[in-house]
Amino acid sequence: MASFHIATALSATLLLSLLVLGRSDATLPPPATPVPPSTACNGTTDPTFCRSVLPTNGTSNLYTYGRFSVAKSLANANKFLGLVNRYLSGGRLAAGAVAALQDCQLLSGLNIDFLSAAGATLNRTSSTLLDPQAEDVQTLLSAILTNQQTCADGLQAAASAWSVRNGLAVPMSNSTKLYSVSLSLFTRAWVRPSTKKPRTATPKPPRHGGRGRGLFDATDDEMVRRMALDGAAAAVSTFGAVTVDQSGAGNFTTVSDAVAAAPTNLDGTKGYFVIHVTAGVYAENVVVPKNKKYVMMVGDGIGQTVITGNRSVVDGWTTFNSATFAVLGQGFVAVNMTFRNTAGPAKHQAVALRCGADLSTFYQCSFEAYQDTLYTHSLRQFYRACDVYGTVDYVFGNAAVVFQDCTLYNRLPMQGQSNTVTAQGRTDPNQNTGTTIQGCAIVAAPDLAANTAFATTNYLGRPWKLYSRTVIMQSVVGGLIDPAGWMPWDGDYALSTLYYAEYNNSGAGADTSRRVTWPGYHVLNSTADAGNFTVGNMVLGDFWLPQTGVPFTSGLN
């Protein structure tokens, strides 16, 4: 079987240092105590590189080293973007190379934003940070590494980008190392073991009211429609509303035009800008850019309001830019909609939705494609009562993301392919990323269930990157899942560094007695261990989900 994602582009030296990483926070000096650079670098992901980065004259404390590293990372991000821009302005590049570089351009710009925000927070304090501030900064620094890796993967996948890839290889490797060191130093200085958020399984009641129920009741679609049509009737705060209607009866006839009309850089305190997308099939590729924050998009129901496209890697798009719908604007919420990519299984990677929006939420939505359906790219995300259809790696990416009360449908792939539900992309042990599937169902879609022409093997996931992390808990696992449960990526790659776990699942495919015996695979028996991966802990949902009106369960069911 072919590998459908490019393995991590980290250098061999960095990979080795990550594999043998043996961090011991218990031996760290107090962060305000001056120490030499060698001591500050001990236990980081690459101590040798760290020592080459930090100033060698005198001693400083961990806070100073951390700020220095983030400032150096920001300077590096600006320099790397300059290199990318020079390649793009130089001309005479093949289309594939240009597409990959344009992704790098966008991602590098995001890195500059994230590093600027992280640096501003760190410059305001010389003490440990408490949540949500600590989680905010760790999320940004984690996303910077993800963005850099996505850039590298895109260049690696584009055959025509070989000259650009060679030219950027060293700067890209050094950027990855530097960003990793910054994340390491941040966690050592500002997120001390005694101040990390509690990782308990005690269910914390959602701040909006009843456990598992939100301001949108799962059975009350009329409430959702009224919210779109009349902001005054909404149970959430709104800051303007428009309607998209293909007949011309609304404010706009396309979703893209409505997004363009949204106010820029809302901070959420004034509420959401609501876009009601009436029933219809909207054949357009939509981008919600980074400056369109706190947009709430409400459709008329799954299968009724449909946004559809057919971009794919086979047709020349990067995986990143094949998405029918892509969202970057913080605080995005989608309700009662379908996102679809119709490229089909023969076109390989073809994304229905890509999300790199922090604090984003999807409720009663469906995502329909085959390979790489739902790209949970980065930052913090939550999916509730959604349907996801796909074949190979159809939930993939490196966000901190929780799926609750969702149904994951394995479709019929091309002959000879195996289905893998997840391909999680964590590349660094200090990233606070991972995929949680809680209270969901993993089943066969009708086309797979009805097929008798050839047998399809189905797995819960495979490790796309070195520190891949996925937890499936309190879910119904259908009998289609192979008894081994999980599929290797390539030989023994990542099998000792990944973290895959199952907890209290049911169904014909939930039996763990014949599961893989990889060092990184776990069957959890402790509610405290499972509690690490709940909404309250994995994405700190108690701090931001109440304002969305979407129901959620903070702890274990």
Side-chain angles (χ1 to χ4, degrees):
M1 177 176 173
S3 292
F4 294 107
H5 294 292
I6 304 301
T8 181
L10 292 172
S11 68
T13 301
L14 180 55
L15 280 173
L16 182 60
S17 69
L18 291 174
L19 284 168
V20 300
L21 180 66
R23 180 177 159 192
S24 178
D25 285 334
T27 61
L28 286 177
T33 301
V35 294
S38 58
T39 301
C41 289
N42 288 339
T44 61
T45 47
D46 192 334
T48 300
F49 183 81
C50 176
R51 294 181 192 110
S52 74
V53 168
L54 297 185
T56 57
N57 52 333
T59 61
S60 297
N61 61 37
L62 290 177
Y63 296 127
T64 301
Y65 289 131
R67 289 192 202 93
F68 178 88
S69 179
V70 169
K72 194 172 184 68
S73 292
L74 177 57
N76 179 85
N78 278 289
K79 183 177 179 181
F80 186 80
L81 178 57
L83 288 173
V84 171
N85 287 338
R86 282 200 287 277
Y87 272 107
L88 283 170
S89 63
R92 297 190 300 277
L93 290 174
V98 171
L101 281 169
Q102 287 173 337
D103 289 350
C104 291
Q105 186 181 52
L106 171 65
L107 294 161
S108 297
L110 291 172
N111 280 354
I112 291 169
D113 294 342
F114 295 168
L115 284 162
S116 297
T121 298
L122 300 187
N123 287 336
R124 287 194 296 266
T125 179
S126 288
S127 62
T128 53
L129 292 172
L130 300 177
D131 287 330
Q133 269 194 316
E135 192 80 0
D136 289 346
V137 176
Q138 191 173 4
T139 295
L140 292 174
L141 296 179
S142 296
I144 290 159
L145 278 164
T146 302
N147 289 342
Q148 194 70 9
Q149 186 67 54
T150 303
C151 169
D153 286 349
L155 289 170
Q156 183 68 32
S160 62
W162 64 269
S163 62
V164 176
R165 188 165 59 243
N166 291 341
L168 290 177
V170 172
M172 193 170 300
S173 176
N174 287 339
S175 296
T176 300
K177 292 178 184 179
L178 179 56
Y179 302 156
S180 181
V181 165
S182 292
L183 178 57
S184 294
L185 290 172
F186 168 76
T187 59
R188 289 162 61 81
W190 277 274
V191 189
R192 305 290 286 182
S194 61
T195 61
K196 289 180 180 177
K197 59 179 175 283
R199 294 294 191 180
T200 68
T202 304
K204 291 173 276 191
R207 298 185 181 185
H208 60 275
R211 173 184 166 92
R213 178 183 171 89
L215 297 171
F216 301 147
D217 185 88
T219 62
D220 189 3
D221 291 341
E222 185 58 30
M223 169 70 80
V224 177
R225 292 192 185 95
R226 280 174 36 229
M227 184 200 66
L229 295 170
D230 181 3
V236 297
S237 298
T238 61
F239 185 75
V242 296
T243 298
V244 181
D245 191 317
Q246 290 176 319
S247 72
N251 305 94
F252 302 97
T253 58
T254 70
V255 178
S256 295
D257 285 346
V259 170
T264 59
N265 294 318
L266 287 177
D267 62 6
T269 59
K270 296 180 180 179
Y272 293 94
F273 182 78
V274 178
I275 300 174
H276 176 212
V277 186
T278 62
V281 177
Y282 296 81
E284 54 179 309
N285 290 86
V286 179
V287 176
V288 181
K290 65 182 182 181
N291 65 346
K292 301 296 182 179
K293 300 178 181 180
Y294 292 93
V295 169
M296 179 175 283
M297 194 171 291
V298 183
D300 283 343
I302 288 175
Q304 300 301 308
T305 298
V306 180
I307 302 179
T308 185
N310 61 3
R311 292 178 179 176
S312 70
V313 166
V314 170
D315 286 338
W317 300 91
T318 62
T319 299
F320 183 81
N321 213 23
S322 69
T324 298
F325 194 99
V327 55
L328 295 170
Q330 180 174 310
F332 179 81
V333 180
V335 182
N336 276 15
M337 301 182 68
T338 291
F339 304 92
R340 182 179 293 161
N341 190 314
T342 61
K347 294 298 181 74
H348 296 288
Q349 297 98 325
V351 175
L353 182 135
R354 185 191 84 234
C355 185
D358 199 21
L359 312 180
S360 53
T361 311
F362 297 83
Y363 178 49
Q364 294 191 145
C365 292
S366 70
F367 309 89
E368 303 171 5
Y370 288 86
Q371 182 174 335
D372 288 3
T373 300
L374 179 54
Y375 196 172
T376 56
H377 181 263
S378 54
L379 302 166
R380 292 167 289 191
Q381 307 177 26
F382 178 64
Y383 296 75
R384 173 83 178 201
C386 292
D387 297 331
V388 191
Y389 295 81
T391 56
V392 178
D393 305 341
Y394 67 90
V395 176
F396 76 112
N398 194 26
V401 56
V402 178
F403 293 83
Q404 250 182 23
D405 193 28
C406 295
T407 304
L408 306 169
Y409 291 96
N410 283 23
R411 302 180 84 171
L412 184 66
M414 291 192 298
Q415 189 162 0
Q417 285 185 326
S418 296
N419 282 338
T420 42
V421 178
T422 65
Q424 206 281 327
R426 187 167 170 253
T427 62
D428 189 286
N430 289 304
Q431 286 178 308
N432 60 352
T433 55
T435 298
T436 295
I437 297 174
Q438 180 189 16
C440 297
I442 300 171
V443 300
D447 61 345
L448 180 63
N451 182 267
T452 57
F454 60 87
T456 299
T457 310
N458 298 271
Y459 298 95
L460 297 173
R462 59 177 181 157
W464 182 25
K465 302 296 182 186
L466 190 64
Y467 287 92
S468 183
R469 181 159 66 177
T470 303
V471 177
I472 299 175
M473 58 187 189
Q474 300 179 316
S475 294
V476 177
V477 180
L480 72 164
I481 296 300
D482 188 88
W486 305 83
M487 178 182 178
W489 185 270
D490 184 13
D492 62 358
Y493 171 75
L495 302 188
S496 61
T497 50
L498 59 79
Y499 185 94
Y500 285 169
E502 297 179 58
Y503 172 75
N504 199 23
N505 296 312
S506 60
D511 181 6
T512 59
S513 63
R514 297 167 60 190
R515 287 294 195 253
V516 295
T517 57
W518 306 339
Y521 172 72
H522 308 273
V523 178
L524 301 180
N525 296 310
S526 163
T527 56
D529 289 339
N532 292 339
F533 303 99
T534 59
V535 167
N537 280 329
M538 191 70 190
V539 295
L540 253 62
D542 291 316
F543 288 96
W544 58 276
L545 279 171
Q547 78 180 84
T548 69
V550 171
F552 70 98
T553 301
S554 181
L556 296 171
N557 293 326

